[in-house]
Amino acid sequence: MTKNLIEVKNLKKYFDTSTGTVKAIDDITFNIKSKEVFGLVGESGSGKSTTGKTLIGIHNPTEGDVYFKGRDIALPSSKRSMAIKKQMNMVFQDPGGSLNPTKTVFDIVSLPLHIHDMVDGKKDAVGKVYELLNTVDLEPERFMYRRPADLGQGEKQAVAIARAIASDPSFVVLDEPTSALDVSIQAKIMNILIDLQEQYDMTYLFITHDLGLMRNIATRVAIMYLGKFFEVAKSFRFFEEPLHPYTKVLLASFPTTTEEEEKLKPKIKAKGEIPSAINPPSGCRFHTRCPFKEEICVEEEPVLREVRKNHYVACHFVE
Amino acid sequence: MAEHDTEGEISEEKIEKLIGEEKEQSPWKDSLKRRWYRFSRNPLSLVGLGIAIITIFLAIFGWLVVPYPEHGGYFSNYPDAFIEPFRDASYIFGTDEYGRDVLTRTILGFRYAMTMVVVVLTLVVPSGVVVGLVAGYHKDTWVDTLLMRFSDIFIAVPPLVLALSITAMLEPDPLYAMLAISLMWWPWYARIAYNNVSSLINEEFVRSAEIMGDSKLHIMFSEILPNCTGAILTKATLDVGWVIIIGASLSFLGLGAQAPTPDLGTMVADGAAWLPDYWWPSIFPAIAISFIILGFNLLGDGIQDAFEEGSQ
């Protein structure tokens, strides 16, 4: 049994807006084990990005506990110790916005090294940035002094990854790192991420709307919907035996290439769009779209329970 | 970090070479080239740049190129008073009531105007930008409220009125005029920096620096500020004209440069007494003022073009 790197208990994150309180995360509890890739899957508006941003310290939790290696990190990053900030980093969805347009690749990648006093003089910095660029498959001689505007999307994201691993973190939040990229580049970035994780024993929180991506990289996956977890299991389990109707809907929306695959796919569809997180539906939050809806779904909220070994589902009808 | 040695150790020479390449590849030279391309696409920007260069050159070296440097001080030559322009080759712009060469005094007037601009902008740009930067980075906190409401006090007072009352209270002196103008001018830089910064703080590169543990000071001055250069530079260039107008207005009212300092505003004021018969002692400096303002406005527009997509 590997020990937990991250422990999240009853985490809530609400945002007050002019139209009401958005319950972006509404009471979720989970652990991320050391050296594991924990996938977080959901539609936009499900609260998956907010979860990542709360763990990394961009948002301050409204309620609940977050521990990193046993230390309380239910705090915004400005109140966390430098030692903790050194051990975690994040790769953002839009590589364009996460790189300062006025800096060079060298400046960007060496910033965390300078922040954490990990370099001794210019030569040392150049040497370390050189190695980091090599690890993300960017030719250092070509890219070291380029500016973000001169880079392609994939190259920008590689720079963001090099920056994220520069301070030798044990935990990296990947917030849809490939969804802004062309398909051809997505695979390359995914391979870099998988290699790095294996090579440096890092722990990832991998956020995506694409359940298919998870098959290749995640050890465990949580399905999130309107601030709640619907299903948590080892990632292969989702393709063997998806249990929650929403998971089946997600799998049904996969494009398939062969007839065999098409036959294996669950054939259910959800009605409409994800409702607003300001006034989430009563009972089970999925009842407005669920094809198997009964009375109990409207009245009572299902709890996340272990229905198979290490397979948790929040649905009244799963036995 | 030592663990990240996938491609083997990097040699000392390679590092030296890479450091050398920074200067050679010079990403800044590259971006400057791009900016220049966007700037020079509009011929008017080039006209503006030309006027600005001429103005600055005359402000510094005017004494060396004017035909009668001594006409800039106490000088009178009454037999030559009010010579009409374009009649006498030695006085192309004619002479004023003391027989002083209008061309000489107009050119010498550039110095006072530009000194004013340099002093005012040196005081106003850094102070305003720092206030706006700090307030913008702390948007929606008490720091923001305190700094921006304080700067609003100065914005609420019409610039010329404040400058007038200050210089009128104290004795008329160019230095007071400059200080008065600066006092009411810095809030505009606070405003422009604030507006830029408060949208930049939502950028993910700022989030990224914060979660990595970068210091507030470094984030403000090194990560955010360079992204505002274009807006600030544009504003400063466009303001050159405004400072000159206000400076000239104060001089016109007798609160700026004092006789016999050659100053465009004073020349317009003094010459106005002789209008319309003897129009040249006031019209030529007035044209010079318009010329400088036009030039710096065109230059400012050009700089704005150069920076428009520059940071993307």
Side-chain angles (χ1 to χ4, degrees):
Chain A
M1 186 78 191
T2 31
K3 65 173 190 226
N4 292 327
L5 184 80
I6 300 259
E7 288 174 20
V8 178
K9 278 180 202 143
N10 304 106
L11 181 69
K12 292 181 185 172
K13 178 64 199 174
Y14 298 168
F15 295 102
D16 288 321
T17 68
S18 51
T19 43
T21 303
V22 178
K23 298 179 174 177
I25 309 175
D26 204 3
D27 199 352
I28 56 172
T29 299
F30 66 103
N31 300 321
I32 302 176
K33 296 187 181 77
S34 196
K35 296 169 198 177
E36 144 174 272
V37 177
F38 190 85
L40 201 48
V41 178
E43 290 171 85
S44 33
S46 61
K48 56 189 196 304
S49 279
T50 311
T51 307
K53 286 176 180 169
T54 308
L55 295 196
I56 205 76
I58 291 175
H59 298 313
N60 193 16
T62 307
E63 238 184 271
D65 300 314
V66 187
Y67 295 97
F68 173 77
K69 292 184 176 171
R71 274 179 289 182
D72 182 16
I73 55 160
L75 307 160
S77 64
S78 58
K79 290 186 182 146
R80 295 181 183 184
S81 73
M82 287 302 273
I84 288 201
K85 282 187 260 196
K86 181 177 180 293
Q87 291 181 63
M88 43 174 75
N89 211 335
M90 175 160 175
V91 176
F92 293 85
Q93 178 177 3
D94 171 22
S98 76
L99 306 181
N100 192 335
T102 60
K103 305 283 178 187
T104 64
V105 169
F106 172 77
D107 296 331
I108 290 166
V109 177
S110 63
L111 179 62
L113 300 172
H114 288 298
I115 292 173
H116 297 293
D117 275 331
M118 297 170 74
V119 282
D120 181 17
K122 176 99 179 173
K123 278 187 192 174
D124 194 23
V126 170
K128 279 175 177 158
V129 171
Y130 185 93
E131 283 170 26
L132 283 163
L133 292 182
N134 262 332
T135 42
V136 294
D137 279 351
L138 289 177
E139 212 182 308
E141 285 86 352
R142 258 184 76 201
F143 289 101
M144 186 97 84
Y145 301 115
R146 297 270 192 94
R147 295 189 321 145
D150 306 328
L151 306 178
Q153 287 293 94
E155 289 157 354
K156 284 184 201 170
Q157 199 58 296
V159 171
I161 293 168
R163 170 178 63 187
I165 61 166
S167 65
D168 254 342
S170 46
F171 177 60
V172 178
V173 174
L174 303 163
D175 187 4
E176 305 207 42
T178 59
S179 64
L181 308 179
D182 285 344
V183 182
S184 55
I185 304 161
Q186 278 182 8
K188 192 175 176 236
I189 294 292
M190 283 304 292
N191 286 333
I192 292 174
L193 289 169
I194 292 170
D195 286 349
L196 287 172
Q197 194 265 335
E198 284 169 1
Q199 212 172 332
Y200 305 120
D201 287 334
M202 279 188 285
T203 307
Y204 285 167
L205 174 66
F206 198 110
I207 297 162
T208 179
H209 59 265
D210 183 353
L211 191 53
L213 267 182
M214 291 288 117
R215 198 184 341 204
N216 304 318
I217 184 163
T219 35
R220 282 193 305 147
V221 172
I223 307 285
M224 204 169 175
Y225 188 83
L226 283 179
K228 291 270 186 199
F229 278 5
F230 274 1
E231 188 164 0
V232 185
K234 291 239 158 73
S235 62
F236 65 88
R237 290 286 302 155
F238 288 93
F239 299 92
E240 276 176 359
E241 193 190 11
L243 291 175
H244 197 286
Y246 180 59
T247 314
K248 290 177 188 166
V249 168
L250 285 180
L251 286 167
S253 61
F254 263 127
T256 47
T257 45
T258 62
E259 270 182 36
E260 291 88 74
E261 278 182 334
E262 187 63 38
K263 274 179 204 147
L264 283 171
K265 246 172 46 171
K267 298 282 180 302
I268 68 166
K269 276 201 179 108
K271 297 168 273 184
E273 299 254 327
I274 188 165
S276 148
I278 294 178
N279 273 315
S282 63
C284 174
R285 298 189 176 194
F286 190 54
H287 83 247
T288 52
R289 301 172 71 193
C290 185
F292 310 113
K293 176 189 140 185
E294 303 266 334
E295 210 143 289
I296 185 174
C297 304
V298 186
E299 284 155 12
E300 204 179 304
E301 181 155 16
V303 286
L304 195 67
R305 62 206 159 87
E306 189 168 11
V307 290
R308 309 277 187 278
K309 192 174 185 310
N310 290 324
H311 194 149
Y312 298 81
V313 179
C315 178
H316 292 301
F317 300 111
V318 176
E319 294 307 325
Chain B
M1 268 303 305
E3 299 95 85
H4 291 176
D5 54 348
T6 42
E7 311 283 314
E9 283 296 306
I10 167 176
S11 67
E12 189 79 357
E13 298 92 81
K14 221 169 191 179
I15 291 181
E16 296 284 356
K17 196 171 149 255
L18 275 168
I19 291 176
E21 262 169 37
E22 180 172 20
K23 287 181 194 87
E24 212 171 283
Q25 290 190 5
S26 182
W28 312 122
K29 218 191 284 170
D30 238 40
S31 80
L32 209 66
K33 244 188 240 164
R34 247 178 302 196
R35 298 234 157 98
W36 172 252
Y37 168 74
R38 278 197 288 261
F39 177 88
S40 57
R41 262 188 313 195
N42 185 353
L44 285 177
S45 308
L46 294 173
V47 172
L49 181 67
I51 294 177
I53 290 172
I54 292 170
T55 307
I56 292 165
F57 174 83
L58 290 179
I60 300 171
F61 301 110
W63 297 92
L64 302 174
V65 297
V66 293
Y68 311 103
E70 68 277 10
H71 289 202
Y74 286 110
F75 176 89
S76 51
N77 176 21
Y78 294 106
D80 279 352
F82 291 130
I83 294 177
E84 268 189 58
F86 312 119
R87 288 283 164 78
D88 192 331
S90 44
Y91 302 112
I92 294 173
F93 285 3
T95 58
D96 64 8
E97 75 265 37
Y98 299 108
R100 296 180 297 194
D101 181 28
V102 172
L103 175 66
T104 298
R105 288 186 61 80
T106 303
I107 289 175
L108 294 180
F110 281 34
R111 171 167 288 194
Y112 179 80
M114 290 314 286
T115 310
M116 184 127 199
V117 167
V118 170
V119 171
V120 169
L121 291 184
T122 318
L123 287 173
V124 150
V125 178
S127 54
V129 166
V130 168
V131 169
L133 181 62
V134 173
Y137 186 67
H138 296 92
K139 193 174 164 60
D140 297 329
T141 66
W142 63 270
V143 180
D144 169 15
T145 315
L146 189 78
L147 291 176
M148 292 320 283
R149 292 301 81 77
F150 178 67
S151 77
D152 282 349
I153 298 172
F154 295 89
I155 281 187
V157 181
L160 195 57
V161 174
L162 181 72
L164 267 177
S165 42
I166 289 176
T167 41
M169 257 180 343
L170 308 161
E171 56 200 283
D173 183 303
L175 185 68
Y176 293 142
M178 290 178 208
L179 288 177
I181 294 174
S182 305
L183 193 63
M184 41 126 253
W185 216 286
W186 68 267
W188 294 104
Y189 285 87
R191 236 322 111 84
I192 207 156
Y194 178 82
N195 288 342
N196 272 272
V197 173
S198 54
S199 72
L200 280 166
I201 51 165
N202 297 319
E203 293 284 336
E204 279 177 344
F205 67 82
V206 178
R207 282 297 83 64
S208 168
E210 282 169 354
I211 59 171
M212 290 191 292
D214 203 0
S215 69
K216 271 189 180 186
L217 218 58
H218 189 264
I219 293 178
M220 282 192 281
F221 286 92
S222 174
E223 296 290 323
I224 298 178
L225 185 57
N227 284 288
C228 311
T229 347
I232 295 164
L233 210 59
T234 305
K235 167 88 175 142
T237 315
L238 293 172
D239 272 359
V240 170
W242 282 106
V243 174
I244 290 175
I245 288 185
I246 299 225
S249 312
L250 288 175
S251 297
F252 184 89
L253 297 163
L255 299 167
Q258 300 300 305
T261 314
D263 162 63
L264 301 172
T266 322
M267 288 171 75
V268 175
D270 294 348
W274 305 96
L275 283 173
D277 298 335
Y278 306 118
W279 52 269
W280 52 93
S282 56
I283 294 299
F284 285 115
I287 291 173
I289 293 174
S290 319
F291 176 77
I292 300 173
I293 292 168
L294 175 74
F296 278 94
N297 276 316
L298 295 176
L299 179 65
D301 290 343
I303 291 176
Q304 191 164 31
D305 293 341
F307 276 91
E308 212 151 53
E309 323 122 271
S311 44
Q312 242 109 92

